[in-house]
Amino acid sequence: MERDSTTTPTCIFCKIIHKEIPAQVVLEEDHYLAVRDINPQAPTHILLIPRTHIANVTEFEDVSELGRLFQAARTVAEHEKLERGFRLVVNTGADGGQTVNHLHIHLLGGRFMTWPPG
Ligand code: AMP
Ligand code: ZN
């Protein structure tokens, strides 16, 4: 896919979307990519990454983008057979523990999730 103004050349997730670095892709759709996290925190740990570069939930303009991402989470959870449940996490900003500044949802499953998170 050709790069345009919606992507950032230095962003690691934009690089994954543009196949410039390898990733374990679970699903590839028009608006998002689902890839396995390189450092999994649960038996299933998948990242839902929108193709459009948005830093985090404080920056998006297109509200429907978020709806599509949650829809993607549901689709991937079904694909991964997480009938017993799962957890969606959106780390946001420094105190939120965000390390990659390209909006993404963590989909975690395959074990019981404790609460509160760290
Ligand atoms: P966050 O800390 O919420 O910004 O999440 C970023 C996630 O991206 C972390 O869980 C990392 O393990 C994951 N990650 C970083 N680089 C890669 C990569 N090249 N492929 C897959 N996952 C990655
Ligand atoms: Zn990006």
Side-chain angles (χ1 to χ4, degrees):
M1 187 201 279
E2 264 185 39
R3 284 183 170 279
D4 57 29
S5 60
T6 64
T7 71
T8 301
T10 55
C11 169
I12 196 160
F13 287 175
C14 285
K15 286 182 180 171
I16 288 174
I17 287 160
H18 291 275
K19 313 280 186 216
E20 290 166 9
I21 59 170
Q24 234 185 308
V25 177
V26 178
L27 277 180
E28 204 163 352
E29 300 290 348
D30 286 352
H31 292 282
Y32 73 89
L33 219 62
V35 305
R36 295 204 186 273
D37 197 292
I38 206 167
N39 182 23
Q41 302 301 313
T44 299
H45 187 171
I46 292 169
L47 304 170
L48 291 317
I49 306 173
R51 288 186 186 276
T52 303
H53 181 94
I54 304 164
N56 60 43
V57 291
T58 70
E59 288 205 0
F60 73 91
E61 287 170 10
D62 180 4
V63 176
S64 57
E65 186 81 50
L66 295 186
R68 281 196 295 264
L69 260 196
F70 275 90
Q71 173 72 58
R74 183 166 77 178
T75 303
V76 175
E78 281 169 11
H79 179 266
E80 294 292 305
K81 303 190 172 25
L82 299 177
E83 298 95 350
R84 287 174 57 86
F86 51 87
R87 182 169 290 173
L88 302 179
V89 175
V90 185
N91 296 326
T92 305
D95 272 6
Q98 186 175 9
T99 59
V100 177
N101 292 322
H102 180 131
L103 176 67
H104 53 283
I105 298 180
H106 295 257
L107 169 64
L108 298 143
R111 66 166 170 84
F112 180 78
M113 298 292 157
T114 58
W115 190 264

